[in-house]
Amino acid sequence: MLHWLTLMADSLPSLLWAALTFTVPLTLASFALGLAVGLAAAVIRLFGPAPLAAAIRFYVWIIRGTPLLVQLFLIFYGLPSAGIVLDAFPAALIGFTLNVGAYTSEIIRAVIGSVPKGQWEAAYSIGMSWSQAMRRTILPQAARVAVPPLSNSFISLVKDTSLAAAITVPELFQAAQRIVATTYEPLILYVEAALIYLALSSVLSALQVRLERRLGQYGGYLEAKS
């Protein structure tokens, strides 16, 4: 037991450094870019011309219907066969962004569609254009409803970044794998990595609850529960 505790203490700085320098930046960048992709895809699905909407539906179908790990392998190991060579981190960033974009597009499409038609009519009645109505009336209401599912997607992304280890990104899980390769103690090191992921997810879950309560003060999904 003392040996395990010592090993955990010795490996903790390396694991935390990998989390701070790769896991967290990869998560934040992928989610931010994926959210932008998802918003654009949702708007095109709802309001865009038929050919573009069909292209977006195809993109969402492909991403949602294939494993994330396979997508990462195609980008990092497959694209070099077509003459496109990417470093590990950019490849992971592209893969996670496309994946997040597909899933968040469905969330955003649903919450925009849930805003009553009367809100559009009210915005038009006071002289707003389509873009003004979307920006000032529809999106603020949809955002409150979207917080829980988008927050869940973000928390899941934190854990999904462990898949980047398979394409040599030196994030938290790969840091644990490297230490295992030298110490031959997989059980305790993988448990330690799992605890770090658990801590990150728990902090984000607590922040999500606070955000939901704060937004609930201004109306939205929490009112429906009361």
Side-chain angles (χ1 to χ4, degrees):
M1 178 64 72
L2 181 59
H3 168 67
W4 281 7
L5 292 176
T6 302
L7 180 59
M8 291 181 70
D10 291 341
S11 60
L12 184 59
S14 297
L15 296 180
L16 291 178
W17 180 250
L20 290 174
T21 55
F22 287 97
T23 299
V24 172
L26 181 59
T27 301
L28 293 175
S30 298
F31 190 77
L33 294 173
L35 195 58
V37 171
L39 177 59
V43 171
I44 292 172
R45 282 282 300 273
L46 289 170
F47 309 107
L52 282 180
I56 294 299
R57 283 196 299 271
F58 180 76
Y59 152 65
V60 173
W61 173 64
I62 290 293
I63 295 298
R64 294 179 67 189
T66 56
L68 175 55
L69 184 60
V70 174
Q71 296 164 20
L72 293 174
F73 270 57
L74 282 172
I75 294 170
F76 185 66
Y77 295 113
L79 287 182
S81 299
I84 303 173
V85 180
L86 298 171
D87 290 335
F89 190 88
L93 180 60
I94 292 171
F96 286 121
T97 296
L98 293 175
N99 191 270
V100 170
Y103 282 94
T104 57
S105 72
E106 292 297 281
I107 295 172
I108 296 171
R109 183 173 65 89
V111 297
I112 290 177
S114 70
V115 176
K117 184 179 179 181
Q119 297 297 314
W120 287 99
E121 295 172 348
Y124 291 145
S125 70
I126 59 175
M128 287 188 184
S129 64
W130 180 90
S131 61
Q132 290 174 325
M134 175 65 75
R135 187 173 64 254
R136 299 178 182 179
T137 302
I138 305 305
L139 287 181
Q141 295 183 61
R144 288 198 297 267
V145 182
V147 164
L150 289 179
S151 297
N152 290 335
S153 296
F154 182 68
I155 294 171
S156 295
L157 179 60
V158 173
K159 295 172 288 184
D160 288 344
T161 55
S162 61
L163 294 175
I167 60 171
T168 71
V169 176
E171 46 71 63
L172 170 58
F173 187 64
Q174 196 190 67
Q177 290 179 312
R178 289 179 174 177
I179 299 174
V180 167
T182 58
T183 62
Y184 304 100
E185 293 284 359
L187 176 60
I188 193 60
L189 286 163
Y190 289 149
V191 166
E192 186 175 17
L195 290 175
I196 295 174
Y197 283 114
L198 180 61
L200 291 172
S201 299
S202 298
V203 170
L204 292 173
S205 296
L207 293 174
Q208 175 187 349
V209 170
R210 294 188 62 179
L211 180 59
E212 290 177 6
R213 288 176 178 171
R214 184 174 182 84
L215 291 176
Q217 296 174 1
Y218 305 101
Y221 59 90
L222 287 182
E223 290 181 353
K225 295 172 63 177
S226 60

